Amino acid sequence: MPELPEVETIRRGLVEKVRNQVIAEVEIRLKKIVLHPEARRWAPALCGETILDLRRRGKYLIFDTNHFVVLVHLGMTGQLTYWDRECRNDAKFQVHPVTGLQKARQHAPDKHTHVRLNLAGGNAIQYRDIRQFGKWRLYSRKDFERSGFFDRLGLEPFGPEYRWQDFLCRFERRSLRIKSLLLDQSFVAGVGNIYADETLFEARVHPERLASSLTLGEKRKLFFAIPKVLRRGLRNGGTTLQDFINADGESGGNQAYLRVYGRAGEKCRRCRSALLRIVINQRSSHFCPHCQPEGG
DNA sequence: AGTAATCCCTGGCAGC
DNA sequence: TGCTGCCAGGGATTAC
């Protein structure tokens, strides 16, 4: 599932390729992916626009064009790749039967390819999304500023506004379990299920602890653990469990470095205890009962 | 207002 | 082998 490190990996792989490119044609093959405004208004609006920049906020990718802002959220299985007319399509585009990793670098549109931005010159940006949880939004620059769309998002872990006092404030009036708070995008933006579990292990906090019960020291550990774990994921090119690929169609490498996620029953890398899996708010949580004791 | 449950969706997989 | 049912989960929506 693409979280901040995966989205940022895609952004870095795509930004230099698409900057200053002109959108020649917009293909929307599954209308429900396009939320705002109606799908039929996309092609006339975006044709002829130049992509000025590709930014990221939380798990959102942001295409800036001359007159518009295009927001892309990859949901669970969204893939955003660059299609180069000079490269051949790889017919073996599929999940590896043993490792589960994507093997192809470039592929032709298939039944899961829902959006394609054809660029002047013949290259393209392709959006593929098996579970169709991803969403695209289109705003004029003015509407985007007025919408305050990103105001609801929490602290940006790599941003200058990621400060201890602001982090601490966001615990006020929050009484839910800490795992659920980490998944709340209005708390810190960009953390998903994998990195939430990894963060809690790093900070040695049990996922079911109530946010209000954390000591100042534990909150401080979390404050530093979040960017540390995200940065590690980014350095390793993102985590590929099933569907994540970068802009070039390549799998990430961080799955080899996960401490707890997906490792229930295996031994803790730190203390050799058997790791556990529980369910919190319909989300699986993985942790070490010895390193992350329930009592804190 | 804060928290939790429900729903969307497909492919992979266990079990028969 | 093919069918059934379950599981994965981000975030919008709904319920409390």
Side-chain angles (χ1 to χ4, degrees):
Chain A
M1 50 233 76
E3 307 177 27
L4 190 153
E6 289 75 36
V7 177
E8 178 64 16
T9 298
I10 290 170
R11 190 196 70 80
R12 292 183 181 183
L14 210 49
V15 60
E16 299 305 331
K17 290 176 177 167
V18 303
R19 189 181 279 142
N20 299 324
Q21 294 244 32
V22 176
I23 298 171
E25 188 188 6
V26 180
E27 288 180 47
I28 295 173
R29 299 151 60 105
L30 183 63
K31 288 183 177 174
K32 57 164 276 194
I33 293 289
V34 172
L35 267 189
H36 175 78
E38 316 89 274
R40 63 185 172 82
R41 287 167 60 180
W42 277 63
L46 281 177
C47 286
E49 289 285 299
T50 300
I51 298 171
L52 302 176
D53 201 3
L54 177 58
R55 298 179 289 137
R56 181 192 57 76
R57 171 85 166 95
K59 300 176 190 171
Y60 288 87
L61 284 166
I62 308 155
F63 287 94
D64 292 306
T65 74
N66 311 84
H67 303 94
F68 297 95
V69 176
V70 179
L71 301 185
V72 181
H73 194 294
L74 302 172
M76 278 288 297
T77 54
Q79 302 172 333
L80 198 65
T81 55
Y82 190 74
W83 189 87
D84 189 331
R85 63 192 288 270
E86 301 288 324
C87 298
R88 284 189 320 170
N89 287 333
D90 190 337
K92 291 177 181 167
F93 179 68
Q94 56 190 2
V95 174
H96 189 277
V98 178
T99 64
L101 304 183
Q102 302 276 3
K103 297 300 290 177
R105 295 177 61 83
Q106 180 163 314
H107 63 91
D110 65 4
K111 65 172 179 172
H112 299 299
T113 306
H114 306 313
V115 183
R116 190 169 149 110
L117 301 182
N118 293 316
L119 305 170
N123 297 332
I125 298 165
Q126 290 193 149
Y127 181 74
R128 187 172 181 271
D129 186 354
I130 292 172
R131 289 184 208 174
Q132 305 173 12
F133 284 179
K135 295 289 179 291
W136 286 50
R137 293 175 172 85
L138 173 69
Y139 291 91
S140 70
R141 281 175 174 274
K142 188 188 286 182
D143 282 351
F144 179 68
E145 282 164 28
R146 263 201 306 245
S147 73
F149 189 86
F150 287 146
D151 295 350
R152 75 194 75 167
L153 286 188
L155 300 177
E156 185 64 38
F158 298 155
E161 75 276 24
Y162 190 75
R163 285 187 292 262
W164 167 237
Q165 281 303 327
D166 296 333
F167 183 81
L168 203 54
C169 285
R170 287 167 186 270
F171 275 86
E172 286 174 19
R173 293 179 298 279
R174 304 309 297 267
S175 58
L176 73 177
R177 284 163 292 193
I178 187 61
K179 170 65 183 287
S180 298
L181 181 60
L182 284 176
L183 292 178
D184 184 344
Q185 299 301 295
S186 69
F187 176 62
V188 171
V191 178
N193 209 36
I194 296 173
Y195 293 101
D197 283 2
E198 295 297 307
T199 295
L200 288 168
F201 175 80
E202 186 72 32
R204 299 197 196 179
V205 174
H206 191 288
E208 285 188 296
R209 292 277 304 285
L210 294 181
S212 53
S213 79
L214 265 62
T215 66
L216 200 62
E218 287 170 329
K219 290 174 182 172
R220 191 141 180 97
K221 279 189 192 168
L222 267 182
F223 174 74
F224 289 111
I226 290 169
K228 177 178 178 181
V229 164
L230 294 176
R231 207 160 262 138
R232 182 198 298 149
L234 182 57
R235 194 168 58 238
N236 291 322
T239 301
T240 298
L241 294 178
Q242 305 206 326
D243 300 294
F244 168 69
I245 52 174
N246 66 18
D248 294 321
E250 298 163 330
S251 299
N254 195 56
Q255 56 279 6
Y257 298 91
L258 296 178
R259 310 297 202 258
V260 288
Y261 187 89
R263 299 190 63 237
E266 297 178 38
K267 286 180 180 175
C268 173
R269 294 193 202 276
R270 191 178 151 267
C271 77
R272 315 307 293 167
S273 298
L275 299 175
L276 297 181
R277 176 188 176 275
I278 59 175
V279 175
I280 301 175
N281 289 99
Q282 353 301 334
R283 298 283 184 269
S284 62
S285 285
H286 312 74
F287 67 103
C288 171
H290 179 259
C291 298
Q292 300 162 266
E294 195 154 11

